[in-house]
Amino acid sequence: MKILIFGVPGSGKTHLAHKISEALKIPIFHIDRHFFEKGWVERDHDHFLSDVRSALETSHWIIDGNGMRTLEMRYQEADIAIYCRLSRYLCLYRIFYRWISTLKIPKKDGPIGSTNSVSWKLIKYLWKFTTKYKDKID
C-alpha cells in the first residue's frame, strides 16, 4: 500500500500519517525531514529528489508532506492520495498551538535536531497554499 498525504500546513497531515501507520504498520517518509536541514534551511534539491525517489521504490509507504515539486511523481506512484484542507484560520491556529505546546521538544518528523517553529515564510505559505497550488492539485 502506498499512501500520499499532503495539504495545507497545520491541517493534520502528520497526525493522520501516524494514525494510518499505526493501524496498517506502514513506514512514514516525512517530506520535511528530507527537504530541510537543521534550522529549517532547504537542502540541495538533487539530494532531496534522490531521497524521494528512493522512498518511492519501496513497496509500502506513507509519504507525509508537501514538497510540491515532487507531488506529481509521488501521486503517480500512490495507491491512495489524501489532500488535507482545512480553513486557513484553523490551520494558522494549529501551527501556533503546536509551536507553543512543543517548545524545545525535538521535532520527530522534521529536520534532525530541529524544533517546531513559526516564521513569516511559513505563515505566507499556509495562507497562499490553496490558491497557489490549485491547478497542480486539480
Side-chain angles (χ1 to χ4, degrees), residues 35-70:
F35 188 79
F36 295 104
E37 295 177 343
K38 188 173 182 176
W40 298 98
V41 176
E42 288 184 23
R43 284 181 63 212
D44 174 72
H45 183 68
D46 291 335
H47 289 112
F48 167 66
L49 196 54
S50 175
D51 288 353
V52 172
R53 285 187 177 130
S54 293
L56 293 176
E57 291 173 1
T58 62
S59 60
H60 296 356
W61 46 255
I62 298 169
I63 297 183
D64 155 43
N66 292 325
M68 297 305 282
R69 290 185 279 181
T70 64

Side-chain angles (χ1 to χ4, degrees), residues 19 30 33 39 41 45-46 62 66 76 84 86 93 117 138:
K19 291 292 184 183
H30 297 286
R33 174 157 285 198
V41 176
H45 183 68
D46 291 335
I62 298 169
N66 292 325
Q76 289 175 353
C84 298
L86 300 175
Y93 168 80
S117 65
D138 288 346

Side-chain angles (χ1 to χ4, degrees), residues 1-6 13-31 34 55-56 58-65 74 78 80 82:
M1 172 84 51
K2 297 178 179 184
I3 303 170
L4 168 62
I5 302 174
F6 69 103
K13 298 178 298 293
T14 300
H15 182 75
L16 178 60
H18 283 288
K19 291 292 184 183
I20 295 171
S21 176
E22 288 172 12
L24 301 179
K25 307 296 185 233
I26 299 173
I28 303 172
F29 178 92
H30 297 286
I31 288 290
H34 299 271
L56 293 176
T58 62
S59 60
H60 296 356
W61 46 255
I62 298 169
I63 297 183
D64 155 43
R74 292 180 286 135
I80 297 170
I82 301 170

Side-chain angles (χ1 to χ4, degrees), residues 68-136:
M68 297 305 282
R69 290 185 279 181
T70 64
L71 180 65
E72 189 172 337
M73 77 166 59
R74 292 180 286 135
Y75 181 82
Q76 289 175 353
E77 295 294 324
D79 298 314
I80 297 170
I82 301 170
Y83 175 37
C84 298
R85 180 180 173 199
L86 300 175
S87 82
R88 289 185 221 166
Y89 294 105
L90 179 57
C91 291
L92 188 60
Y93 168 80
R94 290 171 67 158
I95 64 168
F96 276 103
Y97 178 82
R98 178 178 60 209
W99 173 57
I100 290 168
S101 65
T102 61
L103 286 173
K104 299 183 181 179
I105 297 173
K107 188 167 173 58
K108 295 177 184 174
D109 58 316
I112 294 171
S114 291
T115 57
N116 279 308
S117 65
V118 177
S119 66
W120 185 243
K121 185 176 180 179
L122 173 61
I123 293 168
K124 287 191 306 187
Y125 180 67
L126 178 158
W127 204 257
K128 296 178 180 181
F129 185 88
T130 303
T131 52
K132 180 177 181 177
Y133 296 112
K134 182 184 182 329
D135 291 341
K136 186 170 210 134

